[in-house]
Amino acid sequence: MSEVPPTRMNQQIFKAKKKAAEGGYKLLKKKADALKVKFRDYAKAIAETKGNMSQEAASAFFSMTQAEYAAGNFKQKVAEGPMTARVRVGAGIDNVAGVKLPVFRIYETGAAAENQSLGLVGGGKKIVAVREKFTRLLEALIKLASLQTSFVTLDEALKVTNRRVNALENVTIPKIQNVLDYISRELDELEREDFTRLKLVQGKKEAEMEIDRKMKEAQKLAGVKAGLSVKENEKDLTAGFDAAEDEDVVF
């Protein structure tokens, strides 16, 4: 703090810095609270999606077993056929309190379903059921991937925000406050020194005025005494003569 000159200008500058830091702290605190709420929502959604996904996977693979039992081993025929995707995954952005979270969405490509001839001999319904159940499983898998990716991104953003909040609360704002306290103490000390200096100057002037006053009074008193002594001398000179005793002088 010694490198900061204790002046009124620096005091105003650091007061503005403290106000800005407190404003940033409040905004980051609100952002952290919003991210925490979203973080809990994502955690809850992931848990629910995983629970549903396990059921969807079990149902899909059990349906696959039923279809193979009814229609025979049709996996080879599916692998030999044209592999044209009917669904694709698109990426989007979800903005949560200024944090961009990746979001995956499934969309239809419009391609016609292949291998429609499967199950004509037998097990057609089972194969259709397998297709529908694996489609639902794929949708759940994409949803889970989107939630988990957003969850990881949100977790990193929350950590960074909490670090900034803690830095402002425990480092930046206390440091600025310490500088302000130092400047206030130094300014108060300077004011006390100026006040003491003024009191000393005033006391010295009052002492000089008192000395001048006493000197003037002494001079005045000396002047009065000198006047009285002159009058007494004149009185002494004429007191010895009596006009009645003087003889008349004839010219």
Side-chain angles (χ1 to χ4, degrees):
M1 292 182 292
S2 59
E3 66 273 7
V4 180
T7 60
R8 296 288 180 185
M9 182 178 292
N10 283 332
Q11 188 179 37
Q12 295 300 322
I13 290 173
F14 276 91
K15 282 184 179 179
K17 287 184 178 181
K18 182 183 177 183
K19 185 177 180 180
E22 289 176 346
Y25 169 76
K26 291 179 181 178
L27 290 176
L28 287 176
K29 190 68 175 176
K30 290 180 180 178
K31 179 180 178 179
D33 294 338
L35 292 179
K36 286 178 183 178
V37 172
K38 197 68 176 178
F39 185 82
R40 288 193 292 268
D41 293 340
Y42 273 113
K44 183 178 179 181
I46 288 173
E48 292 177 354
T49 304
K50 283 185 176 180
N52 295 332
M53 187 178 173
S54 62
Q55 296 177 2
E56 293 287 346
S59 177
F61 282 100
F62 182 72
S63 179
M64 172 72 76
T65 304
Q66 289 179 333
E68 288 180 349
Y69 179 77
N73 189 5
F74 56 89
K75 293 181 182 179
Q76 186 67 28
K77 295 180 181 179
V78 173
E80 291 174 355
M83 306 294 289
T84 303
R86 292 189 301 111
V87 293
R88 291 187 182 276
V89 179
I93 298 295
D94 186 14
N95 195 334
V96 178
V99 179
K100 295 181 179 180
L101 303 176
V103 178
F104 302 143
R105 295 182 177 88
I106 187 171
Y107 64 93
E108 299 283 342
T109 61
E114 303 292 342
N115 300 318
Q116 294 292 335
S117 60
L118 290 176
L120 292 178
V121 179
K125 291 183 178 181
K126 297 294 183 181
I127 295 175
V128 172
V130 168
R131 183 182 291 115
E132 293 177 353
K133 289 185 178 181
F134 269 94
T135 300
R136 288 197 299 267
L137 178 61
L138 179 63
E139 292 175 354
L141 182 63
I142 294 172
K143 181 180 178 182
L144 180 61
S146 176
L147 288 173
Q148 287 186 333
T149 306
S150 299
F151 182 81
V152 172
T153 306
L154 190 62
D155 184 41
E156 292 297 328
L158 185 58
K159 289 179 181 178
V160 172
T161 304
N162 286 332
R163 282 197 296 267
R164 291 177 179 174
V165 170
N166 293 331
L168 284 173
E169 183 180 6
N170 300 318
V171 178
T172 305
I173 294 177
K175 185 177 180 180
I176 295 174
Q177 186 61 45
N178 290 335
V179 174
L180 286 173
D181 294 339
Y182 163 73
I183 293 175
S184 298
R185 288 195 304 269
E186 292 297 322
L187 291 176
D188 291 342
E189 185 66 26
L190 291 174
E191 289 180 359
R192 284 193 294 270
E193 290 178 359
D194 292 339
F195 180 76
T196 304
R197 190 180 301 110
L198 290 174
K199 290 292 289 184
L200 291 174
V201 172
Q202 185 179 2
K204 188 175 181 180
K205 287 184 177 180
E206 290 178 355
E208 290 177 353
M209 291 174 64
E210 183 67 20
I211 292 172
D212 291 340
R213 185 182 64 80
K214 289 181 178 180
M215 290 179 64
K216 288 179 180 180
E217 289 180 354
Q219 290 175 358
K220 184 177 180 181
L221 183 61
V224 171
K225 288 182 179 181
L228 291 176
S229 61
V230 170
K231 289 182 179 180
E232 288 177 356
N233 291 333
E234 291 177 354
K235 184 178 179 181
D236 292 340
L237 290 173
T238 58
F241 298 94
D242 190 359
E245 296 179 355
D246 293 340
E247 295 181 356
D248 293 334
V249 178
V250 178
F251 294 96

